[in-house]
Amino acid sequence: MEVVLEMTLPRDAESAPLVRHTLDASLRGLGVTSDIRADISLALGEACANAIQHAAAGEYEVRARMDGARCVVEVIDGGGTGPASWETPQAPRDARQTSWEARQASPHAESGRGLQLIRAFMEEVHIRDRVSRNGAIVHFEKSLAS
């Protein structure tokens, strides 16, 4: 069985728990263990928090696909001061992509560790610019097998 969720959410603090609980309920329904659900929930929460805090648009999107073997999630923001602000504005696109992948927050920083957490708990993580609009797509995946 395949489950697909697509949500357009307002940039407010109440939207992140809603999407986390919705995805968790879907994963639980598929019989996914609590440890794997917790990893996915943490990564999703970090990606949503970044979109809520930094995106310029009034909404952001979350898309998730679960097929019983793998969970694939994308959090799509509308641009602003999020991960793209880590880049040098005049840097070529390829240099910016490299900058996204290399970015590391200090262990003592009070913010900026979300991407590190997502990378630590997920098996595959990609961040890319949206092709036809401002913003970024945070894409992450995790196997649903223990």
PDB file of all heavy atoms in Angstrom, residues 38-48 75 114 117-118 121-122 140:
ATOM      1  N   ALA A  38       9.843   8.281  15.275  1.00  0.00           N
ATOM      2  CA  ALA A  38      10.427   9.405  16.026  1.00  0.00           C
ATOM      3  C   ALA A  38      11.517  10.098  15.213  1.00  0.00           C
ATOM      4  O   ALA A  38      11.603  11.334  15.202  1.00  0.00           O
ATOM      5  CB  ALA A  38      10.984   8.919  17.359  1.00  0.00           C
ATOM      6  N   ASP A  39      12.359   9.324  14.508  1.00  0.00           N
ATOM      7  CA  ASP A  39      13.404   9.915  13.667  1.00  0.00           C
ATOM      8  C   ASP A  39      12.796  10.782  12.572  1.00  0.00           C
ATOM      9  O   ASP A  39      13.243  11.916  12.324  1.00  0.00           O
ATOM     10  CB  ASP A  39      14.264   8.824  13.016  1.00  0.00           C
ATOM     11  CG  ASP A  39      15.150   8.075  13.991  1.00  0.00           C
ATOM     12  OD1 ASP A  39      15.247   8.486  15.171  1.00  0.00           O
ATOM     13  OD2 ASP A  39      15.742   7.058  13.571  1.00  0.00           O
ATOM     14  N   ILE A  40      11.770  10.261  11.910  1.00  0.00           N
ATOM     15  CA  ILE A  40      11.126  10.998  10.824  1.00  0.00           C
ATOM     16  C   ILE A  40      10.431  12.240  11.368  1.00  0.00           C
ATOM     17  O   ILE A  40      10.513  13.323  10.782  1.00  0.00           O
ATOM     18  CB  ILE A  40      10.146  10.086  10.052  1.00  0.00           C
ATOM     19  CG1 ILE A  40      10.930   8.976   9.331  1.00  0.00           C
ATOM     20  CG2 ILE A  40       9.307  10.896   9.067  1.00  0.00           C
ATOM     21  CD1 ILE A  40      10.068   7.863   8.763  1.00  0.00           C
ATOM     22  N   SER A  41       9.781  12.106  12.512  1.00  0.00           N
ATOM     23  CA  SER A  41       9.092  13.242  13.127  1.00  0.00           C
ATOM     24  C   SER A  41      10.073  14.359  13.499  1.00  0.00           C
ATOM     25  O   SER A  41       9.795  15.540  13.289  1.00  0.00           O
ATOM     26  CB  SER A  41       8.329  12.771  14.361  1.00  0.00           C
ATOM     27  OG  SER A  41       7.618  13.831  14.940  1.00  0.00           O
ATOM     28  N   LEU A  42      11.231  13.976  14.042  1.00  0.00           N
ATOM     29  CA  LEU A  42      12.239  14.983  14.406  1.00  0.00           C
ATOM     30  C   LEU A  42      12.715  15.723  13.161  1.00  0.00           C
ATOM     31  O   LEU A  42      12.785  16.954  13.156  1.00  0.00           O
ATOM     32  CB  LEU A  42      13.414  14.306  15.106  1.00  0.00           C
ATOM     33  CG  LEU A  42      14.503  15.267  15.554  1.00  0.00           C
ATOM     34  CD1 LEU A  42      14.963  14.926  16.956  1.00  0.00           C
ATOM     35  CD2 LEU A  42      15.661  15.260  14.591  1.00  0.00           C
ATOM     36  N   ALA A  43      13.038  14.981  12.099  1.00  0.00           N
ATOM     37  CA  ALA A  43      13.512  15.612  10.865  1.00  0.00           C
ATOM     38  C   ALA A  43      12.437  16.522  10.281  1.00  0.00           C
ATOM     39  O   ALA A  43      12.722  17.648   9.858  1.00  0.00           O
ATOM     40  CB  ALA A  43      13.928  14.546   9.850  1.00  0.00           C
ATOM     41  N   LEU A  44      11.204  16.040  10.263  1.00  0.00           N
ATOM     42  CA  LEU A  44      10.101  16.847   9.733  1.00  0.00           C
ATOM     43  C   LEU A  44       9.913  18.112  10.561  1.00  0.00           C
ATOM     44  O   LEU A  44       9.732  19.204  10.017  1.00  0.00           O
ATOM     45  CB  LEU A  44       8.820  16.027   9.696  1.00  0.00           C
ATOM     46  CG  LEU A  44       7.578  16.745   9.193  1.00  0.00           C
ATOM     47  CD1 LEU A  44       7.772  17.257   7.771  1.00  0.00           C
ATOM     48  CD2 LEU A  44       6.368  15.814   9.264  1.00  0.00           C
ATOM     49  N   GLY A  45       9.969  17.986  11.872  1.00  0.00           N
ATOM     50  CA  GLY A  45       9.830  19.157  12.736  1.00  0.00           C
ATOM     51  C   GLY A  45      10.898  20.205  12.480  1.00  0.00           C
ATOM     52  O   GLY A  45      10.612  21.409  12.449  1.00  0.00           O
ATOM     53  N   GLU A  46      12.136  19.765  12.284  1.00  0.00           N
ATOM     54  CA  GLU A  46      13.232  20.700  12.001  1.00  0.00           C
ATOM     55  C   GLU A  46      13.037  21.395  10.663  1.00  0.00           C
ATOM     56  O   GLU A  46      13.230  22.603  10.543  1.00  0.00           O
ATOM     57  CB  GLU A  46      14.579  19.975  12.036  1.00  0.00           C
ATOM     58  CG  GLU A  46      15.004  19.512  13.399  1.00  0.00           C
ATOM     59  CD  GLU A  46      15.227  20.640  14.384  1.00  0.00           C
ATOM     60  OE1 GLU A  46      15.618  21.756  13.953  1.00  0.00           O
ATOM     61  OE2 GLU A  46      15.027  20.426  15.587  1.00  0.00           O
ATOM     62  N   ALA A  47      12.642  20.638   9.642  1.00  0.00           N
ATOM     63  CA  ALA A  47      12.432  21.229   8.317  1.00  0.00           C
ATOM     64  C   ALA A  47      11.262  22.218   8.342  1.00  0.00           C
ATOM     65  O   ALA A  47      11.336  23.291   7.738  1.00  0.00           O
ATOM     66  CB  ALA A  47      12.202  20.136   7.280  1.00  0.00           C
ATOM     67  N   CYS A  48      10.184  21.859   9.038  1.00  0.00           N
ATOM     68  CA  CYS A  48       9.032  22.766   9.144  1.00  0.00           C
ATOM     69  C   CYS A  48       9.396  24.028   9.928  1.00  0.00           C
ATOM     70  O   CYS A  48       9.010  25.131   9.539  1.00  0.00           O
ATOM     71  CB  CYS A  48       7.856  22.061   9.820  1.00  0.00           C
ATOM     72  SG  CYS A  48       7.068  20.803   8.799  1.00  0.00           S
ATOM     73  N   VAL A  75       9.811  19.224   2.210  1.00  0.00           N
ATOM     74  CA  VAL A  75       9.277  20.447   2.795  1.00  0.00           C
ATOM     75  C   VAL A  75       9.704  21.570   1.859  1.00  0.00           C
ATOM     76  O   VAL A  75      10.895  21.761   1.605  1.00  0.00           O
ATOM     77  CB  VAL A  75       9.794  20.672   4.230  1.00  0.00           C
ATOM     78  CG1 VAL A  75       9.275  21.997   4.785  1.00  0.00           C
ATOM     79  CG2 VAL A  75       9.378  19.501   5.125  1.00  0.00           C
ATOM     80  N   GLY A 114      19.432  22.459  12.715  1.00  0.00           N
ATOM     81  CA  GLY A 114      18.353  21.653  12.149  1.00  0.00           C
ATOM     82  C   GLY A 114      18.798  20.761  11.009  1.00  0.00           C
ATOM     83  O   GLY A 114      18.455  19.576  10.973  1.00  0.00           O
ATOM     84  N   LEU A 117      20.743  17.837  12.274  1.00  0.00           N
ATOM     85  CA  LEU A 117      19.866  16.828  12.871  1.00  0.00           C
ATOM     86  C   LEU A 117      19.166  16.007  11.791  1.00  0.00           C
ATOM     87  O   LEU A 117      19.070  14.780  11.896  1.00  0.00           O
ATOM     88  CB  LEU A 117      18.837  17.481  13.793  1.00  0.00           C
ATOM     89  CG  LEU A 117      19.380  18.023  15.095  1.00  0.00           C
ATOM     90  CD1 LEU A 117      18.331  18.877  15.798  1.00  0.00           C
ATOM     91  CD2 LEU A 117      19.835  16.883  15.997  1.00  0.00           C
ATOM     92  N   ILE A 118      18.678  16.684  10.761  1.00  0.00           N
ATOM     93  CA  ILE A 118      18.015  15.972   9.673  1.00  0.00           C
ATOM     94  C   ILE A 118      18.993  14.975   9.050  1.00  0.00           C
ATOM     95  O   ILE A 118      18.651  13.804   8.832  1.00  0.00           O
ATOM     96  CB  ILE A 118      17.459  16.949   8.619  1.00  0.00           C
ATOM     97  CG1 ILE A 118      16.328  17.793   9.225  1.00  0.00           C
ATOM     98  CG2 ILE A 118      16.959  16.189   7.392  1.00  0.00           C
ATOM     99  CD1 ILE A 118      15.892  18.963   8.351  1.00  0.00           C
ATOM    100  N   PHE A 121      19.574  11.825  11.294  1.00  0.00           N
ATOM    101  CA  PHE A 121      18.490  10.869  11.496  1.00  0.00           C
ATOM    102  C   PHE A 121      17.928  10.279  10.206  1.00  0.00           C
ATOM    103  O   PHE A 121      17.238   9.271  10.236  1.00  0.00           O
ATOM    104  CB  PHE A 121      17.361  11.511  12.312  1.00  0.00           C
ATOM    105  CG  PHE A 121      17.716  11.664  13.755  1.00  0.00           C
ATOM    106  CD1 PHE A 121      18.299  12.825  14.231  1.00  0.00           C
ATOM    107  CD2 PHE A 121      17.504  10.628  14.644  1.00  0.00           C
ATOM    108  CE1 PHE A 121      18.646  12.963  15.564  1.00  0.00           C
ATOM    109  CE2 PHE A 121      17.847  10.744  15.982  1.00  0.00           C
ATOM    110  CZ  PHE A 121      18.423  11.913  16.439  1.00  0.00           C
ATOM    111  N   MET A 122      18.223  10.894   9.086  1.00  0.00           N
ATOM    112  CA  MET A 122      17.711  10.399   7.805  1.00  0.00           C
ATOM    113  C   MET A 122      18.835   9.731   7.016  1.00  0.00           C
ATOM    114  O   MET A 122      20.002  10.004   7.233  1.00  0.00           O
ATOM    115  CB  MET A 122      17.113  11.552   6.974  1.00  0.00           C
ATOM    116  CG  MET A 122      15.905  12.211   7.618  1.00  0.00           C
ATOM    117  SD  MET A 122      14.478  11.121   7.805  1.00  0.00           S
ATOM    118  CE  MET A 122      14.587  10.703   9.540  1.00  0.00           C
ATOM    119  N   PHE A 140      14.107  14.522   2.225  1.00  0.00           N
ATOM    120  CA  PHE A 140      14.786  13.507   3.019  1.00  0.00           C
ATOM    121  C   PHE A 140      14.028  12.192   2.959  1.00  0.00           C
ATOM    122  O   PHE A 140      12.836  12.157   2.718  1.00  0.00           O
ATOM    123  CB  PHE A 140      15.047  13.958   4.461  1.00  0.00           C
ATOM    124  CG  PHE A 140      13.847  14.492   5.204  1.00  0.00           C
ATOM    125  CD1 PHE A 140      13.034  13.650   5.952  1.00  0.00           C
ATOM    126  CD2 PHE A 140      13.563  15.841   5.184  1.00  0.00           C
ATOM    127  CE1 PHE A 140      11.959  14.147   6.652  1.00  0.00           C
ATOM    128  CE2 PHE A 140      12.480  16.344   5.887  1.00  0.00           C
ATOM    129  CZ  PHE A 140      11.683  15.492   6.622  1.00  0.00           C
TER     130      PHE A 140
END
